Amino acid sequence: MEPLIHLAFVDDWEVRGNGSGDPRVLQFAPMRRLTELYQKFGLRGSFNAEVMQQLTYRKLQGRFPELKILADEWEQAVTDSFRQGHDIQLHLHPQWIAAEYHGQDGWTLRGDWSIINYPGQQMRALLLSCKQFLETLLRKIDPQYSCVSFRAGSWCAAPSDSLFPILAELGFVFDMSIVAGIHYETPRVKLDYTRCEEGFLPYYPMMNDARRVSQTLEAIVCIPTNTFRASRRALLRRDLSKVQKIFRNRITRVAKGARNASATSSRGQTGDDWTNRGESGPVGFVRRAVKRYTRGQTCVSDLSHMNYSMMVRMMDSIRERAARSGLKQVAVILENHTKDVQDFSDIERFLTQVAHSTDVKTVTLTEIAKGLQDGSFKVRTARQ
Ligand SMILES: [Zn+2]
């Protein structure tokens, strides 16, 4: 019998990592659009709300009334989605610590991007305040609500002596920060997940290095965010259409003049924040492209960066690995970034397909946590 795939549509809901971008454009509007799509197909999604941004807005709202308006809208968007049955869980970008606001000129975020670079006590205080914030907000709607899952900002979760013991102590049931196969050596993020011991199934992590599978049961579970090998052709097609879009936007910008400059700033800018060392500029671009189209690439199952044919390939890969596991039910975590979605047509097509698949059941992160606790989802140790 083919396994039943419990698929979680998960979204990291945030502005750019450097604080740029208008929350109305990058968060509120696309969240509404996405939840409309989920409703249309009778599906429920999960949003990993980045809470540090919201706490910062609240902290500064006395001096800057425009931040209060945005923070109120943030809570409205979150509670509206939650009332419709979608899940809200925790995502945390520590760079918002001691953020400076310059009005029209935006933000300066000086904090380190990786939570594991902070001392344990500070890490714990951040996690606790963000978890309590979400629980206070959402228990007004559902007194049973609990913040049960975590995804670290910029995926930075391992190795660390402190993070997993703190997550377990604070009552998190599982973490989904591990993404097997990715590697970043950027000005902001240093992370090496190229040698993860489990890239697909839930497992008990080594408490000081979640890239490794523990020999024994632990107080918290890891479920990797799914990855797959994309075909070189699909990558090429996706990248060509990206280049086409960039040119089309440039032409529109020239035609519309200054008006388009504000459209660009409302979407924010990442600059080289996510460019690996040696891969910036035209030479780096070519080097990256050659590597991708000759060797292929491990892709994060991030719907915002995929076209429809990649989504189909991703599901094929999920089905193959689920069948190989020999398990009756498998929980799989997808990714999405509403901030990067401008055209929802491929996602809509994919949701149609999922809604009609008899071997796929859409679940929220809270439902996955329950399944882990009641034994519906088997959790690996290094011995099995
Ligand atoms: Zn994020």
Side-chain angles (χ1 to χ4, degrees), residues 66-100:
E66 69 270 28
L67 295 182
K68 177 175 187 319
I69 297 169
L70 283 168
D72 290 346
E73 286 180 40
W74 189 101
E75 281 171 29
Q76 192 64 48
V78 165
T79 50
D80 284 351
S81 298
F82 188 69
R83 277 201 185 88
Q84 289 168 13
H86 307 294
D87 200 359
I88 307 291
Q89 293 294 332
L90 181 60
H91 186 47
L92 193 161
H93 277 281
Q95 60 262 42
W96 282 92
I97 282 181
E100 286 168 33

Side-chain angles (χ1 to χ4, degrees), residues 37-52:
L37 285 180
Y38 289 148
Q39 301 301 115
K40 181 175 163 186
F41 295 104
L43 308 175
R44 279 163 311 132
S46 301
F47 293 87
N48 286 328
E50 201 293 298
V51 175
M52 288 291 291

